[in-house]
Amino acid sequence: MKLRFIAELFLNFKTIETKYFIMKQLLQLTFALFFSSFAIGQSFYDINTVNEIEITFEESNWDQLLDQLASSGEERLLGSVSINGEVFDSVGVRYKGNSSYNSNQVKNPFNIKLDYIINNQEIEGYGTLKLSNGFNDPSFVREVLSYEIARKYFPASQSNFCNMYVNGQYLGLYTSNQDVDKFFMRTHFQGDENARIKGEIESGLPPNQMGGVWEYFGNDSSDYFHKYALESNYGWNELVGFLDVLNNDNENIEEVLNVDRHLWFLAFQNLLVNLDGPINNPQNYYMYQDGNGRMNPIPWDFNESFGIFAMLQSSGQLSTYQLQQLNPFVNINESDYPIIGEILSNPVYRKMYAAHMKTILEENFDNGWYEDRAYEIQDIIDDDVQADENKFYTYNNFINNVNSSVGGGPQSKIGITQLMNSRVNYLNSHDDFEYTAPSISYVTHNPQQPEANTELWFSSTVEEATEVYLSYRFSSLATFTKTLMFDDGAHEDGQANDGIYGVSINIASSDLEYYIYAENDDAAAFMPVRAEYEFYHISISSDLVINEFMADNENTIADQDGEFDDWIELYNNSDQEIELEGFSLSDDAAEPQMWLFPDTSILAGDYLIIWADKDEEQEGLHAELKLSSSGESLFLYDAEMNVIDQVVFTEQKADTSLGRYPNGTGDFAEMMATFGEENQPLILDIYNPENNKVGIQMSQNYPNPFSQQTRIEIVLEQSGYVNLGIYNIYGQLLETLEASTLNPGKYSYEWNVKENKTGVYIYQLQFEEQSIVKKMLVQ
């Protein structure tokens, strides 16, 4: 009604100026209504959604049958599953878990395989559902909260809640955790066919063989069966080779292990006192070998994080005080824990590890965010917990365990804040955390919009550092290369010894990702602070680019047969026609020639549409691939199988494209589909970026993406009036960070997300008559 009312007003006004104003309001409201529809359809793992899952078995004795199958591994009982009213037939169901499973209890954890019989039967790309029963966690938030924190720093599962029914019987509230499967690998590693291994203690293993993680037992793979399970078609030789290098050729460890990823993983596990994980027990984690031959640890099973599992294999049961003061380098000197000792004994890695743990502390615990978030999550499930008659603890236990212990003696469940408030104080007073770390306050590059095959200069302001490095790569599939930066006055770094460091690199035709690392004798620092998981990105103007795509085309644009399929738009930035025969598109880095272009070309300054529908029999360009609306990667290769463009994207909104802005050269942003036309942003009024500003500089905010707080820095070379504002994607001003006349100098501003939702936001810096606009992502 409101939209019709504004439209009628438009028709009744005569002046151009008034019509322009009304049309602007109409467009803004259209955008608002268009995007508000996305809030109605939540994703399966949306934290604010408690899903309803009901299993229907033909057998009335289903519980007895599942108990019989519990020890059989992968055998399952067939049934159907309704998820929020959507029915999936011929699914395979089994119980899961070790200590959380018991044949005498009503509420057992489930493993539901939707694609057990029917290939590609999935919900939003997820084929297997892992449902935990809340065992050993009175607060009911440990798992979800742990995963939420972990996802800020390395690949980790999504997690939320569901109510479970079987044959009409309500079993209770469960935690729903994303399976670490092929879909997970494609999302985070751009491929799924490499070795994937799960750390898993063999059933019935004697207690004296449970300790020790990542030991080398020789080259016979059968000697590793008691602590690992193969999740891929191959991988035993890869595992043995990795462990051999770690234990016997440690100088080459970076060739077989993503060391930075592993340091984040260890810091997280230790900080949250997750002793039921691989810093103490050889279980509850995965490893995946990426395309560079490096193992990447992936966490699993956080129901006993925050100190619930209190048995330290090397010393015994820990008291509350010992849990609070768990050494951040626990097991570093234990010979059967090379997972820690062979890494943190390296002084550089030790400093990086401490820097990463300090980041997790500062962003989640020093500020009390974790406690507020725990209560927010509890509010989501409060009614469901009260309704769950099969829960393992009382409702009062649920409320109290965020702050206080539940129970007594060895079975006591420590309160989350009871553990972490004291633990934060202990860690912040530890020598490795009190050392003065380098301070990285500014980073920029010149030129601001570089072209392919040119020299690009970087400079960064760093204090208290003995060495500063630029780490960069030209593909998300590649490893970062470190190059030393200089403060000698000869590398576009100002004056010698002024704390400004510079270096140049020759850039290719693909986009660039980079971060800054600095260290001194005692400590290290990163910028952005979540590097290497987060980094800065520079778009390089190459001749042929992926310009726009839509991964959830429900009603926007149909192909020649009337089908609403995924589509990809290429754009030719050059002034020459480009022959595409032999070029290819792929959504899996392990299969670069997934779809080969036929004998076709793209004209100078022109667009080319490819339908991603796996239907090559249709007329036109129809690729043998589909895009996942849940997020994945897309690669464009030339005839020599070089990556000439790529994009890694997260969950997509229906009927919304991602496109480069400015067209053909800029970063990707959400937009209303242009399909074979010049890309335009949603907010035309304020999005007008210009380059080569006179008298003013503004760096990309950091961290970016972020979930709570980010920093924006500007440098003024002359006095003038400055206005710095934050806008949402509809062009609405959310907050003004600065609006005054400033003197020359460097200024820093913090923006707190507060109640704002995830998505793309804009910040605009106006200086006199000039304007700089940048995007940032809240996740």
Side-chain angles (χ1 to χ4, degrees):
M1 294 297 295
K2 185 175 180 183
L3 192 63
R4 180 186 300 173
F5 173 73
I6 294 177
E8 290 173 349
L9 280 178
F10 174 77
L11 296 176
N12 292 330
F13 281 97
K14 306 299 183 181
T15 68
I16 295 176
E17 291 82 1
T18 307
K19 281 192 173 186
Y20 170 77
F21 173 78
I22 296 298
M23 179 57 73
K24 182 177 179 181
Q25 298 301 311
L26 178 62
L27 287 172
Q28 286 185 342
L29 181 58
T30 303
F31 289 153
L33 293 173
F34 179 75
F35 282 101
S36 67
S37 66
F38 299 134
I40 299 173
Q42 301 289 353
S43 67
F44 180 70
Y45 284 110
D46 178 76
I47 184 59
N48 296 301
T49 301
V50 179
N51 295 304
E52 298 286 322
I53 299 180
E54 180 167 1
I55 305 174
T56 301
F57 295 113
E58 292 187 0
E59 300 84 354
S60 59
N61 63 335
W62 57 268
D63 181 49
Q64 179 183 357
L65 295 173
L66 289 177
D67 286 333
Q68 293 172 0
L69 293 173
S71 60
S72 66
E74 291 300 314
E75 291 188 39
R76 297 171 184 263
L77 185 63
L78 281 178
S80 65
V81 173
S82 171
I83 302 175
N84 300 328
E86 181 179 358
V87 178
F88 299 81
D89 292 321
S90 304
V91 303
V93 181
R94 64 177 175 87
Y95 286 143
K96 76 176 190 72
N98 293 317
S99 57
S100 59
Y101 163 76
N102 190 310
S103 60
N104 296 318
Q105 65 192 19
V106 174
K107 187 180 178 182
N108 276 311
F110 283 91
N111 181 315
I112 303 172
K113 193 167 179 60
L114 300 177
D115 53 359
Y116 187 58
I117 298 295
I118 302 174
N119 289 336
N120 299 319
Q121 180 170 249
E122 303 164 336
I123 179 166
E124 299 175 13
Y126 309 110
T128 300
L129 311 182
K130 300 286 186 73
L131 310 179
S132 301
N133 58 357
F135 176 80
N136 254 358
D137 180 15
S139 76
F140 226 111
V141 301
R142 279 177 164 83
E143 199 147 41
V144 171
L145 179 60
S146 296
Y147 275 122
E148 185 168 325
I149 296 172
R151 288 194 300 273
K152 300 175 185 180
Y153 308 105
F154 47 84
S157 298
Q158 299 180 79
S159 181
N160 64 351
F161 300 94
C162 67
N163 282 309
M164 275 293 299
Y165 302 80
V166 178
N167 284 9
Q169 175 188 354
Y170 176 57
L171 299 187
L173 181 70
Y174 283 69
T175 303
S176 176
N177 304 310
Q178 180 190 2
D179 189 24
V180 183
D181 57 4
K182 285 190 171 186
F183 179 67
F184 183 97
M185 300 308 145
R186 290 196 301 273
T187 302
H188 296 285
F189 297 98
Q190 295 84 55
D192 62 16
E193 295 298 327
N194 294 341
R196 177 164 41 104
I197 298 147
K198 185 178 182 182
E200 190 170 78
I201 301 173
E202 182 181 336
S203 177
L205 194 69
N208 63 347
Q209 295 185 32
M210 289 183 62
V213 187
W214 289 8
E215 298 167 276
Y216 180 68
F217 301 121
N219 59 11
D220 186 345
S221 61
S222 64
D223 291 331
Y224 300 88
F225 292 172
H226 63 296
K227 289 187 178 180
Y228 303 92
L230 198 61
E231 298 280 319
S232 50
N233 294 329
Y234 69 95
W236 286 117
N237 290 337
E238 286 69 19
L239 171 66
V240 173
F242 158 67
L243 296 176
D244 188 10
V245 173
L246 173 70
N247 288 271
N248 303 315
D249 187 20
N250 195 262
E251 291 184 357
N252 293 310
I253 187 59
E254 294 193 15
E255 295 182 7
V256 296
L257 175 67
N258 186 334
V259 172
D260 185 79
R261 179 72 48 81
H262 184 55
L263 294 173
W264 279 113
F265 178 81
L266 292 179
F268 174 85
Q269 301 274 349
N270 184 290
L271 177 56
L272 271 62
V273 194
N274 187 38
L275 296 180
D276 198 29
I279 63 169
N280 182 53
N281 279 340
Q283 62 179 10
N284 292 331
Y285 73 100
Y286 291 81
M287 289 188 288
Y288 184 73
Q289 188 178 55
D290 61 30
N292 296 298
R294 304 179 304 169
M295 290 293 182
N296 292 257
I298 303 166
W300 181 248
D301 195 354
F302 285 135
N303 73 304
E304 295 192 286
S305 66
F306 291 110
I308 290 294
F309 189 93
M311 174 66 73
L312 187 62
Q313 296 290 351
S314 56
S315 62
Q317 188 76 17
L318 302 183
S319 65
T320 295
Y321 176 79
Q322 290 172 318
L323 290 170
Q324 293 167 337
Q325 301 212 355
L326 181 72
N327 190 328
F329 302 96
V330 68
N331 286 331
I332 190 173
N333 295 317
E334 298 294 329
S335 61
D336 51 353
Y337 284 87
I339 186 175
I340 298 170
E342 292 291 344
I343 302 299
L344 298 186
S345 59
N346 181 306
V348 174
Y349 297 160
R350 181 179 178 119
K351 289 185 288 189
M352 295 168 65
Y353 168 83
H356 289 337
M357 189 180 288
K358 285 174 67 176
T359 294
I360 304 175
L361 272 170
E362 291 168 359
E363 294 188 341
N364 303 281
F365 296 97
D366 285 344
N367 55 12
W369 174 87
Y370 80 102
E371 181 179 4
D372 294 338
R373 188 56 178 156
Y375 281 122
E376 289 172 357
I377 295 171
Q378 283 196 329
D379 286 344
I380 295 170
I381 57 173
D382 187 274
D383 292 342
D384 303 283
V385 171
Q386 293 189 62
D388 184 355
E389 296 182 355
N390 296 316
K391 55 183 174 288
F392 297 94
Y393 302 92
T394 67
Y395 177 71
N396 285 335
N397 293 157
F398 164 72
I399 295 298
N400 294 333
N401 192 229
V402 171
N403 292 122
S404 306
S405 292
V406 167
Q411 301 304 313
S412 174
K413 310 302 178 188
I414 191 171
I416 296 176
T417 66
Q418 177 189 9
L419 170 71
M420 294 308 300
N421 287 347
S422 295
R423 180 152 182 75
V424 168
N425 292 333
Y426 161 71
L427 288 172
N428 282 330
S429 63
H430 192 280
D431 287 347
D432 284 74
F433 297 84
E434 287 195 319
Y435 291 133
T436 299
S439 173
I440 311 172
S441 58
Y442 188 73
V443 59
T444 188
H445 58 83
N446 185 40
Q448 287 295 302
Q449 286 196 335
E451 297 182 356
N453 304 309
T454 59
E455 186 177 29
L456 182 61
W457 283 93
F458 292 84
S459 64
S460 181
T461 303
V462 187
E463 299 177 356
E464 303 291 343
T466 56
E467 290 185 331
V468 178
Y469 293 89
L470 170 72
S471 292
Y472 65 95
R473 64 185 180 186
F474 293 106
S475 167
S476 60
L477 301 177
T479 59
F480 281 96
T481 297
K482 285 185 178 180
T483 185
L484 187 66
M485 302 183 74
F486 301 91
D487 183 12
D488 57 4
H491 291 80
E492 294 200 4
D493 59 306
Q495 302 298 316
N497 302 315
D498 62 356
I500 301 176
Y501 293 77
V503 74
S504 69
I505 60 172
N506 293 318
I507 57 175
S509 59
S510 57
D511 290 359
L512 176 69
E513 298 169 349
Y514 74 97
Y515 66 92
I516 303 296
Y517 170 75
E519 66 178 14
N520 55 38
D521 291 341
D522 301 316
F526 295 82
M527 185 176 178
V529 293
R530 296 183 187 178
E532 288 180 345
Y533 192 51
E534 289 184 357
F535 41 77
Y536 297 121
H537 177 267
I538 300 175
S539 294
I540 308 298
S541 300
S542 54
D543 288 347
L544 184 65
V545 296
I546 300 169
N547 196 47
E548 187 180 5
F549 66 91
M550 183 175 285
D552 193 358
N553 179 20
E554 295 186 3
N555 299 290
T556 301
I557 298 171
D559 65 11
Q560 72 284 343
D561 293 334
E563 298 173 351
F564 292 90
D565 295 318
D566 302 340
W567 52 269
I568 302 160
E569 175 191 271
L570 304 185
Y571 179 71
N572 183 353
N573 277 309
S574 75
D575 57 3
Q576 300 290 327
E577 181 178 0
I578 299 176
E579 298 291 336
L580 295 178
E581 185 174 12
F583 283 51
S584 60
L585 281 170
S586 177
D587 62 0
D588 187 344
E591 192 178 347
Q593 293 186 315
M594 182 175 289
W595 181 72
L596 287 168
F597 281 83
D599 184 7
T600 189
S601 63
I602 179 171
L603 297 175
D606 203 1
Y607 305 85
L608 184 68
I609 300 295
I610 301 98
W611 297 97
D613 57 2
K614 288 189 174 182
D615 194 352
E616 293 186 282
E617 294 183 0
Q618 287 184 288
E619 183 181 348
L621 297 177
H622 291 259
E624 188 60 24
L625 61 89
K626 288 187 176 182
L627 302 179
S628 171
S629 61
S630 298
E632 62 172 343
S633 302
L634 179 63
F635 304 95
L636 174 64
Y637 296 86
D638 63 17
E640 286 73 42
M641 288 194 292
N642 299 307
V643 178
I644 57 174
D645 200 13
Q646 61 180 308
V647 57
V648 179
F649 57 94
T650 56
E651 185 175 347
Q652 298 296 289
K653 296 175 182 176
D655 295 308
T656 303
S657 70
L658 279 187
R660 291 186 180 275
Y661 187 80
N663 186 79
T665 61
D667 292 333
F668 281 91
E670 289 183 353
M671 55 185 60
M672 298 180 72
T674 53
F675 197 79
E677 297 177 352
E678 182 176 354
N679 292 345
Q680 297 291 342
L682 287 174
I683 40 179
L684 300 176
D685 289 354
I686 69 164
Y687 205 93
N688 182 28
E690 301 173 4
N691 300 309
N692 302 319
K693 305 296 176 207
V694 177
I696 188 167
Q697 300 178 39
M698 180 169 70
S699 62
Q700 181 69 45
N701 65 294
Y702 66 94
N704 186 42
F706 64 102
S707 59
Q708 302 151 46
Q709 186 182 74
T710 191
R711 179 181 299 171
I712 300 169
E713 293 186 344
I714 65 175
V715 176
L716 297 184
E717 299 174 1
Q718 60 193 54
S719 298
Y721 185 81
V722 172
N723 187 289
L724 177 60
I726 307 293
Y727 297 81
N728 64 18
I729 201 166
Y730 313 123
Q732 299 166 324
L733 178 66
L734 300 178
E735 186 174 350
T736 298
L737 301 183
E738 183 66 80
S740 63
T741 300
L742 299 178
N743 294 322
K746 182 170 66 178
Y747 298 87
S748 178
Y749 303 89
E750 302 283 350
W751 186 56
N752 293 295
V753 176
K754 299 177 182 177
E755 74 280 0
N756 297 301
K757 298 180 180 179
T758 59
V760 175
Y761 291 84
I762 305 297
Y763 56 103
Q764 180 186 38
L765 173 64
Q766 292 178 309
F767 178 68
E768 300 298 339
E769 301 300 322
Q770 302 177 70
S771 176
I772 304 176
V773 180
K774 293 181 181 289
K775 300 189 300 294
M776 56 185 170
L777 177 63
V778 175
Q779 63 180 14

